[in-house]
Amino acid sequence: MKRKLPIIAALLTCFALILVACSKSSSTDNGVLSTEQIKKNIGSKLITTREDAQKSLTKKYQEKVKDASYTMDNPYIKLNPYKTSPLTALVILKTDQAAKITYTVEGKSDDTSVTNTVNGGYSKTHQVPVVGLYANYNNTVTMTATYKDGATSTQTINIKTGSLPKYIKSAKITVSKNDKTKMDIGNNKLTIINRTTKEPFAIDADGEVRWYSTNYSQHTIEQISNGHMLILTKKKVDTSVYNDLIETDVLGRIYKEYSFSSGTKSNDSGNSKDETTVIHHDLIELPNHDLLATVNDGSKYKEDVMAQISHKTGKVVKVIDLKKILPSSMYREYKAGSDNKIDWFHQNAVDYDKSDNSIMISGRNQDMIIKLDYKTNKIIWIYSGKAKATWPKKYRDKILTPTQGTTITGGQHGLYLLKHDGDSEDIILYDNNINVTNGDKKTSGKYSQAVEYHINTKKMTIDQTWSYGKSLGKANFTSIIGYAERETNGNTLVDFGFKNGGQESNIIEVDADGNQVFNVTVKNASSKAYAYRAYRIPFYSSKYVFDVNK
């Protein structure tokens, strides 16, 4: 019997060690997963399915580029060259002398023509990505070659397009105001309607659709530094899982494709019949070209984790789990939804600040915005209606104090940085003004607004410096979604995306004094096809170069 005691003691010790190890590596601590488990659950990787499917098209265009018979008088014209962007065309031609090509798609009214100069310098061979065509219309496109000596030659071509698909065609677009002299439209800017689901599209100042993608998107469509777009889409339009993130251009050519685990997914509604996704609300490109995405981690919690995804390998290289940063009481005490998932934070925005290597994030269900040091994940500041005294002591010196008259955000969306100079930070967001947990109960539900704040990180104060939307009252209140974007001329584009309970989206551009210069309403033609965000961007970017040989 005595001989057995050391053996029993050793076994008990081993068992205890196993229990400790299991408690550290598993999700027994309130369901919080380890970083390695989250990476495994996301399962991101680069694939080439769509690129491979386009290879024959690219090869065909490569042969056309070699063909010397295509000239200004006789160019090669291919409408919808990659079969997913029907209001674009690829024009290939040669000139006897090196030249730059500029084209103009003639508008139907004043200030609606779209003009672009092909990037890449002077050349004798030209690949022209034409964007901004009208649907179901015989478009007039003027091509101008400008030579090094300043001489020019011009040729006019016509490009006939087909009709719009049903989910765009049946969405009634009504423009009630468009002061084009004061709008930020320039020579080639359109307004992208980034829908919560279905096809994304872009409109001109008249509300005419001038671009769309047949790839359904959900929430995420972002223009990145090379002029390409990141679109969260799915393999087939009739499936329910948005599981593909593509890097594409305005013509629909695919340059990169990320795939994610089909087992790790969730949705906003909590209804198992609704569309699901791993990446949900937002996505940005970091300075090293990696991607930072808001993701679901596969645990019983949702929409409270971010993942940095390598643009080289497609793998997750960094995980930020807000459950490990904010007080545990926030997620422990939050009730699960009908899908048994706990949506305690509901992150709907992330923005990177290169001046101090930090990120700003928005958490709708805590009525809270936060800034984190991106290297250490430590909190820099927090703004919330949650009283400072109710925070655990270690957080209190991070809480911003509002100046008199500064509104508390409620269910806010679209937070991003305008300017950072030393201790001074200017930010803008769309304040839904709905009291979810810590919002303003007195004003909740009475209006929604775009808000600009000034933050003094030395004094740890926040001051509201501009807003628009309160005067519109309850008519433009939106309980969910919305966006505010500051334009290059100082105007602000505001997306009241869920107006009238989601029956319509109202996008308004105002000047610095709050005067409307553009007002468009989109009546949603199908379920969840409202405007999640609206962006005013150049078509196409000055960084974008199309080359079938690259």
Side-chain angles (χ1 to χ4, degrees), residues 299-402:
S299 72
K300 67 180 182 180
Y301 304 98
K302 66 180 184 181
E303 300 188 0
D304 59 3
V305 170
M306 287 167 279
Q308 180 179 335
I309 302 165
S310 169
H311 71 288
K312 295 179 179 178
T313 67
K315 300 294 185 181
V316 175
V317 295
K318 179 181 172 71
V319 170
I320 301 175
D321 188 345
L322 293 170
K323 295 184 290 295
K324 298 175 182 178
I325 296 172
L326 289 168
S328 61
S329 59
M330 287 184 173
Y331 60 85
R332 284 177 178 173
E333 297 170 8
Y334 207 93
K335 292 183 179 180
S338 57
D339 59 350
N340 294 318
K341 294 279 188 176
I342 300 172
D343 192 13
W344 68 280
F345 192 75
H346 195 97
Q347 184 181 353
N348 56 32
V350 59
D351 191 38
Y352 179 79
D353 183 353
K354 65 181 179 180
S355 66
D356 62 357
N357 190 31
S358 66
I359 55 172
M360 295 190 303
I361 60 177
S362 164
R364 177 189 185 272
N365 288 355
Q366 292 295 328
D367 305 313
M368 181 190 302
I369 58 175
I370 312 172
K371 188 169 189 180
L372 303 175
D373 183 298
Y374 191 64
K375 184 178 180 180
T376 65
N377 296 344
K378 291 183 178 179
I379 296 170
I380 297 173
W381 53 252
I382 299 173
Y383 184 48
S384 165
K386 181 178 170 63
K388 184 182 288 190
T390 65
W391 285 85
K393 288 183 179 180
K394 71 175 184 177
Y395 294 92
R396 291 177 191 174
D397 64 342
K398 306 299 182 184
I399 308 299
L400 296 175
T401 300

Side-chain angles (χ1 to χ4, degrees), residues 108-124:
K108 293 181 180 180
S109 69
D110 292 342
D111 298 311
T112 55
S113 294
V114 173
T115 298
N116 287 307
T117 298
V118 177
N119 301 315
Y122 290 91
S123 177
K124 292 183 179 181

Side-chain angles (χ1 to χ4, degrees), residues 174-323:
T174 305
V175 175
S176 59
K177 188 175 185 63
N178 60 346
D179 188 340
K180 299 171 188 177
T181 62
K182 295 180 180 178
M183 291 175 64
D184 183 36
I185 51 178
N187 292 323
N188 64 358
K189 289 185 178 182
L190 301 175
T191 304
I192 287 186
I193 310 299
N194 175 7
R195 303 166 100 179
T196 300
T197 187
K198 304 295 187 292
E199 302 100 331
F201 62 93
I203 60 174
D204 64 15
D206 288 341
E208 289 267 13
V209 176
R210 306 291 291 274
W211 175 87
Y212 70 94
S213 173
T214 58
N215 286 307
Y216 280 29
S217 71
Q218 187 186 69
H219 285 149
T220 301
I221 175 169
E222 298 286 340
Q223 191 175 60
I224 57 176
S225 58
N226 58 9
H228 296 168
M229 294 178 181
L230 296 171
I231 299 180
L232 181 66
T233 186
K234 50 188 177 180
K235 290 178 174 62
K236 294 181 180 179
V237 296
D238 57 352
T239 60
S240 62
V241 182
Y242 279 86
N243 227 31
D244 288 6
L245 177 67
I246 57 174
E247 179 183 331
T248 183
D249 64 12
V250 286
L251 295 186
R253 184 181 180 186
I254 304 297
Y255 297 86
K256 198 170 288 185
E257 184 177 4
Y258 303 81
S259 181
F260 301 86
S261 169
S262 59
T264 303
K265 57 192 178 184
S266 191
N267 57 33
D268 289 339
S269 67
N271 186 338
S272 60
K273 294 182 180 180
D274 284 346
E275 294 167 326
T276 58
T277 184
V278 176
I279 296 176
H280 47 91
H281 283 82
D282 208 0
L283 175 75
I284 59 172
E285 180 188 29
L286 296 170
N288 68 350
H289 305 299
D290 281 359
L291 310 179
L292 181 62
T294 59
V295 297
N296 291 299
D297 67 357
S299 72
K300 67 180 182 180
Y301 304 98
K302 66 180 184 181
E303 300 188 0
D304 59 3
V305 170
M306 287 167 279
Q308 180 179 335
I309 302 165
S310 169
H311 71 288
K312 295 179 179 178
T313 67
K315 300 294 185 181
V316 175
V317 295
K318 179 181 172 71
V319 170
I320 301 175
D321 188 345
L322 293 170
K323 295 184 290 295

